Coordinates of all heavy atoms in Angstrom, one line a residue:
A130 N 3.1 9.7 -21.6 CA 1.9 10.4 -21.6 C 1.5 10.9 -23.0 O 2.3 11.6 -23.7 CB 2.1 11.7 -20.7
D131 N 0.3 10.5 -23.4 CA -0.3 11.0 -24.7 C -1.0 12.3 -24.4 O -1.8 12.4 -23.5 CB -1.2 10.0 -25.3 CG -0.4 8.8 -25.8 OD1 0.8 8.9 -26.1 OD2 -1.0 7.7 -25.9
T132 N -0.8 13.4 -25.2 CA -1.4 14.7 -25.0 C -2.2 15.2 -26.2 O -2.0 14.7 -27.3 CB -0.3 15.7 -24.6 OG1 0.6 15.9 -25.8 CG2 0.5 15.2 -23.4
R133 N -3.0 16.2 -26.0 CA -3.8 16.9 -27.0 C -3.7 18.4 -26.7 O -4.1 18.8 -25.7 CB -5.2 16.4 -27.0 CG -6.0 17.0 -28.2 CD -7.5 16.5 -28.2 NE -7.6 15.1 -28.2 CZ -7.6 14.3 -29.2 NH1 -7.4 14.9 -30.5 NH2 -7.7 13.0 -29.1
A134 N -3.2 19.1 -27.7 CA -3.1 20.5 -27.6 C -4.5 21.2 -27.8 O -5.4 20.5 -28.2 CB -2.1 21.1 -28.6
Q135 N -4.6 22.5 -27.5 CA -5.8 23.2 -27.7 C -6.3 23.2 -29.1 O -7.5 23.3 -29.4 CB -5.7 24.6 -27.1 CG -5.5 24.7 -25.6 CD -5.2 26.1 -25.2 OE1 -5.3 27.0 -26.0 NE2 -5.0 26.2 -23.9
D136 N -5.4 23.1 -30.1 CA -5.8 23.1 -31.5 C -6.0 21.7 -32.0 O -6.3 21.4 -33.2 CB -4.7 23.8 -32.4 CG -3.4 23.0 -32.3 OD1 -3.3 22.0 -31.6 OD2 -2.5 23.5 -33.0
G137 N -6.0 20.6 -31.1 CA -6.2 19.3 -31.5 C -5.0 18.4 -31.8 O -5.2 17.2 -32.1
T138 N -3.8 19.0 -31.9 CA -2.6 18.3 -32.2 C -2.3 17.4 -31.1 O -2.4 17.8 -29.9 CB -1.5 19.3 -32.5 OG1 -1.9 20.2 -33.5 CG2 -0.2 18.5 -32.9
T139 N -1.9 16.2 -31.4 CA -1.5 15.1 -30.4 C 0.0 15.0 -30.3 O 0.7 15.3 -31.2 CB -2.2 13.8 -30.8 OG1 -1.7 13.4 -32.1 CG2 -3.7 13.9 -30.7
G140 N 0.4 14.6 -29.2 CA 1.8 14.3 -29.0 C 2.0 13.2 -27.9 O 1.1 12.8 -27.2
T141 N 3.2 12.8 -27.8 CA 3.6 11.8 -26.7 C 4.8 12.3 -26.0 O 5.8 12.7 -26.6 CB 3.9 10.5 -27.4 OG1 2.7 10.0 -28.1 CG2 4.2 9.4 -26.3
R142 N 4.7 12.1 -24.7 CA 5.8 12.5 -23.8 C 6.3 11.3 -23.1 O 5.5 10.5 -22.5 CB 5.3 13.5 -22.8 CG 6.2 13.7 -21.5 CD 7.4 14.6 -21.9 NE 8.0 15.0 -20.7 CZ 9.1 14.4 -20.2 NH1 9.5 13.3 -20.8 NH2 9.6 14.8 -19.0
R143 N 7.6 11.0 -23.2 CA 8.2 9.8 -22.5 C 9.3 10.2 -21.7 O 10.3 10.9 -22.1 CB 8.6 8.8 -23.5 CG 9.1 7.5 -23.0 CD 9.4 6.5 -24.1 NE 8.3 6.1 -24.8 CZ 8.0 6.5 -26.1 NH1 8.9 7.3 -26.7 NH2 7.0 6.0 -26.7
T144 N 9.3 9.8 -20.4 CA 10.4 10.1 -19.5 C 10.5 9.0 -18.4 O 9.8 8.0 -18.5 CB 10.2 11.5 -18.8 OG1 11.3 11.8 -18.0 CG2 8.9 11.4 -17.9
G145 N 11.3 9.2 -17.4 CA 11.5 8.2 -16.4 C 12.0 8.8 -15.1 O 12.5 9.9 -15.1
F146 N 11.9 8.0 -14.1 CA 12.4 8.5 -12.8 C 12.7 7.2 -11.9 O 12.3 6.1 -12.2 CB 11.5 9.4 -12.0 CG 10.2 8.7 -11.5 CD1 10.1 8.1 -10.3 CD2 9.1 8.6 -12.4 CE1 9.0 7.5 -9.8 CE2 7.9 8.0 -11.9 CZ 7.9 7.5 -10.7
G147 N 13.5 7.4 -10.9 CA 13.8 6.3 -10.0 C 13.6 6.7 -8.5 O 13.5 7.9 -8.2
T148 N 13.4 5.7 -7.7 CA 13.2 6.0 -6.3 C 14.4 5.5 -5.4 O 15.0 4.4 -5.8 CB 11.9 5.4 -5.7 OG1 11.9 4.0 -6.1 CG2 10.7 6.1 -6.4
A149 N 14.7 6.1 -4.3 CA 15.8 5.7 -3.5 C 15.5 4.3 -2.9 O 14.3 4.0 -2.6 CB 16.0 6.7 -2.4
A150 N 16.6 3.6 -2.7 CA 16.4 2.2 -2.0 C 16.0 2.4 -0.6 O 16.3 3.4 0.1 CB 17.7 1.4 -2.2
P151 N 15.3 1.4 0.0 CA 14.9 1.5 1.4 C 16.0 1.4 2.3 O 16.9 0.4 2.1 CB 13.9 0.4 1.5 CG 14.3 -0.6 0.5 CD 14.8 0.2 -0.6
G152 N 16.1 2.1 3.4 CA 17.1 1.9 4.3 C 16.9 0.7 5.3 O 17.8 0.1 5.7
R153 N 15.6 0.5 5.5 CA 15.2 -0.7 6.3 C 13.9 -1.2 5.7 O 13.1 -0.4 5.3 CB 15.0 -0.3 7.8 CG 14.3 -1.3 8.7 CD 14.2 -1.0 10.1 NE 15.5 -1.1 10.8 CZ 15.6 -1.1 12.1 NH1 14.6 -1.0 12.9 NH2 16.8 -1.3 12.6
V154 N 13.7 -2.5 5.8 CA 12.5 -3.2 5.3 C 11.7 -3.8 6.4 O 12.3 -4.5 7.3 CB 12.9 -4.3 4.2 CG1 11.7 -5.1 3.8 CG2 13.6 -3.7 3.0
N155 N 10.4 -3.5 6.4 CA 9.5 -4.1 7.4 C 8.8 -5.3 6.8 O 8.5 -5.2 5.5 CB 8.5 -3.1 7.9 CG 8.1 -3.3 9.3 OD1 8.2 -4.4 9.9 ND2 7.5 -2.3 9.9
K156 N 8.6 -6.3 7.6 CA 7.9 -7.5 7.1 C 6.8 -7.9 8.0 O 6.6 -7.4 9.1 CB 8.9 -8.7 6.9 CG 10.0 -8.4 6.0 CD 11.0 -9.6 5.9 CE 12.1 -9.2 4.9 NZ 13.1 -10.4 4.9
V157 N 6.0 -8.9 7.6 CA 4.7 -9.3 8.3 C 4.7 -10.8 8.5 O 5.0 -11.6 7.7 CB 3.5 -8.9 7.5 CG1 2.2 -9.3 8.2 CG2 3.5 -7.3 7.2
D158 N 4.3 -11.2 9.8 CA 3.9 -12.5 10.1 C 2.5 -12.6 10.4 O 1.9 -11.7 11.0 CB 4.7 -12.9 11.3 CG 4.4 -14.4 11.8 OD1 3.9 -15.1 11.0 OD2 4.5 -14.6 13.0
W159 N 1.7 -13.5 9.7 CA 0.2 -13.5 9.8 C -0.3 -14.8 10.2 O 0.2 -15.9 10.0 CB -0.3 -13.0 8.5 CG -0.2 -14.0 7.4 CD1 -1.1 -15.0 7.2 CD2 0.7 -14.0 6.3 NE1 -0.7 -15.7 6.0 CE2 0.4 -15.1 5.5 CE3 1.8 -13.1 6.0 CZ2 1.1 -15.4 4.4 CZ3 2.5 -13.5 4.9 CH2 2.3 -14.6 4.1
R160 N -1.6 -14.7 10.7 CA -2.5 -15.8 11.0 C -3.9 -15.5 10.5 O -4.2 -14.3 10.6 CB -2.5 -16.0 12.6 CG -1.3 -16.6 13.1 CD -1.3 -16.8 14.6 NE 0.0 -17.3 15.2 CZ 0.2 -18.6 15.3 NH1 -0.7 -19.4 15.1 NH2 1.4 -18.9 15.7
P161 N -4.6 -16.4 10.0 CA -4.3 -17.9 9.9 C -3.5 -18.1 8.6 O -3.3 -17.1 7.9 CB -5.7 -18.5 9.9 CG -6.5 -17.5 9.2 CD -6.0 -16.2 9.7
G162 N -3.2 -19.3 8.3 CA -2.5 -19.6 7.1 C -3.4 -19.5 5.9 O -4.6 -19.5 6.0
D163 N -2.7 -19.4 4.7 CA -3.5 -19.3 3.5 C -4.2 -20.6 3.1 O -3.7 -21.6 3.3 CB -2.5 -18.9 2.4 CG -3.2 -18.6 1.0 OD1 -4.4 -18.1 1.1 OD2 -2.6 -18.8 0.0
A164 N -5.4 -20.4 2.5 CA -6.1 -21.6 2.0 C -6.4 -22.6 3.1 O -6.4 -23.8 2.9 CB -5.4 -22.3 0.8
T165 N -6.7 -22.1 4.3 CA -7.0 -23.0 5.5 C -8.5 -22.9 5.8 O -9.2 -22.0 5.4 CB -6.1 -22.7 6.7 OG1 -6.4 -21.2 7.0 CG2 -4.7 -22.9 6.5
T166 N -9.0 -23.9 6.6 CA -10.3 -23.8 7.2 C -10.1 -23.7 8.7 O -9.4 -24.4 9.3 CB -11.1 -25.1 6.8 OG1 -11.2 -25.2 5.4 CG2 -12.5 -25.0 7.4
V167 N -10.8 -22.7 9.2 CA -10.6 -22.3 10.6 C -11.9 -22.3 11.4 O -13.0 -22.4 10.8 CB -9.9 -20.9 10.7 CG1 -8.6 -20.9 10.0 CG2 -10.8 -19.8 10.2
G168 N -11.8 -22.2 12.7 CA -13.0 -22.1 13.6 C -13.6 -20.7 13.5 O -13.0 -19.7 13.0
V169 N -14.8 -20.5 14.1 CA -15.6 -19.4 14.0 C -15.1 -18.2 14.8 O -15.5 -17.1 14.7 CB -17.1 -19.6 14.5 CG1 -17.7 -20.6 13.5 CG2 -17.1 -20.1 15.9
A170 N -14.0 -18.4 15.7 CA -13.5 -17.3 16.5 C -12.2 -16.8 15.9 O -11.5 -15.9 16.6 CB -13.3 -17.7 17.9
Q171 N -11.7 -17.3 14.8 CA -10.4 -17.0 14.3 C -10.3 -15.5 13.8 O -11.0 -15.2 12.8 CB -10.0 -17.8 13.2 CG -8.7 -17.5 12.5 CD -7.5 -17.8 13.4 OE1 -7.3 -18.9 13.9 NE2 -6.6 -16.8 13.5
P172 N -9.5 -14.6 14.4 CA -9.3 -13.3 13.8 C -8.2 -13.3 12.7 O -7.4 -14.3 12.7 CB -8.9 -12.5 15.0 CG -8.2 -13.4 15.9 CD -8.8 -14.8 15.7
I173 N -8.1 -12.3 11.9 CA -6.9 -12.1 11.1 C -5.9 -11.4 12.0 O -6.2 -10.3 12.6 CB -7.2 -11.2 9.9 CG1 -8.3 -11.9 9.0 CG2 -6.0 -10.9 9.1 CD1 -8.8 -11.0 7.9
S174 N -4.7 -11.8 12.1 CA -3.7 -11.2 13.0 C -2.4 -11.0 12.2 O -1.8 -12.0 11.7 CB -3.5 -12.1 14.2 OG -2.7 -11.6 15.2
L175 N -1.9 -9.8 12.2 CA -0.7 -9.4 11.6 C 0.3 -8.9 12.6 O 0.0 -8.0 13.4 CB -0.9 -8.3 10.5 CG -2.0 -8.6 9.5 CD1 -2.0 -7.4 8.5 CD2 -1.7 -9.9 8.7
V176 N 1.5 -9.5 12.6 CA 2.6 -9.0 13.6 C 3.8 -8.5 12.7 O 4.2 -9.2 11.8 CB 3.0 -10.2 14.5 CG1 4.2 -9.7 15.4 CG2 1.9 -10.7 15.3
F177 N 4.3 -7.4 13.0 CA 5.3 -6.7 12.2 C 6.7 -6.9 12.8 O 6.9 -6.8 14.0 CB 5.0 -5.2 12.1 CG 3.6 -4.9 11.5 CD1 2.4 -4.8 12.3 CD2 3.4 -4.9 10.1 CE1 1.2 -4.6 11.7 CE2 2.2 -4.7 9.5 CZ 1.1 -4.5 10.3
D178 N 7.7 -7.1 11.9 CA 9.1 -7.2 12.3 C 9.6 -6.0 13.1 O 10.3 -6.1 14.1 CB 10.0 -7.5 11.1 CG 9.9 -9.0 10.7 OD1 9.1 -9.7 11.3 OD2 10.8 -9.3 9.9
H179 N 9.2 -4.8 12.5 CA 9.7 -3.5 13.1 C 8.5 -2.7 13.5 O 7.4 -2.9 13.1 CB 10.6 -2.8 12.1 CG 11.7 -3.6 11.6 ND1 12.7 -4.1 12.5 CD2 12.2 -4.0 10.4 CE1 13.6 -4.8 11.8 NE2 13.3 -4.7 10.5
P180 N 8.9 -1.6 14.3 CA 7.7 -0.8 14.9 C 6.9 -0.1 13.7 O 7.5 0.2 12.7 CB 8.5 0.3 15.7 CG 9.8 -0.3 16.1 CD 10.1 -1.3 14.9
V181 N 5.6 0.0 14.0 CA 4.8 0.8 13.0 C 4.3 2.0 13.7 O 3.5 2.0 14.5 CB 3.6 -0.1 12.6 CG1 2.6 0.7 11.7 CG2 4.0 -1.4 12.0
R182 N 5.0 3.2 13.3 CA 4.7 4.5 13.9 C 3.5 5.1 13.2 O 2.7 5.7 13.8 CB 5.9 5.4 13.8 CG 7.2 4.8 14.3 CD 7.1 4.4 15.8 NE 8.5 4.1 16.3 CZ 8.7 3.5 17.5 NH1 7.6 3.2 18.3 NH2 9.9 3.1 17.8
D183 N 3.5 5.0 11.9 CA 2.4 5.5 11.1 C 1.3 4.4 10.9 O 1.1 3.8 9.8 CB 2.8 6.0 9.7 CG 1.8 6.9 9.1 OD1 0.7 6.9 9.5 OD2 2.2 7.6 8.1

Side-chain angles (χ1 to χ4, degrees):
D131 293 335
T132 63
R133 185 183 304 277
Q135 293 177 359
D136 64 359
T138 304
T139 60
T141 300
R142 162 80 167 96
R143 185 177 293 108
T144 187
F146 69 91
T148 54
R153 170 177 281 195
V154 173
N155 210 342
K156 298 178 182 179
V157 179
D158 177 25
W159 70 82
R160 289 176 182 269
D163 185 32
T165 54
T166 299
V167 300
V169 295
Q171 175 71 52
I173 299 171
S174 185
L175 307 179
V176 179
F177 302 92
D178 278 8
H179 300 305
V181 178
R182 309 297 187 194
D183 194 345

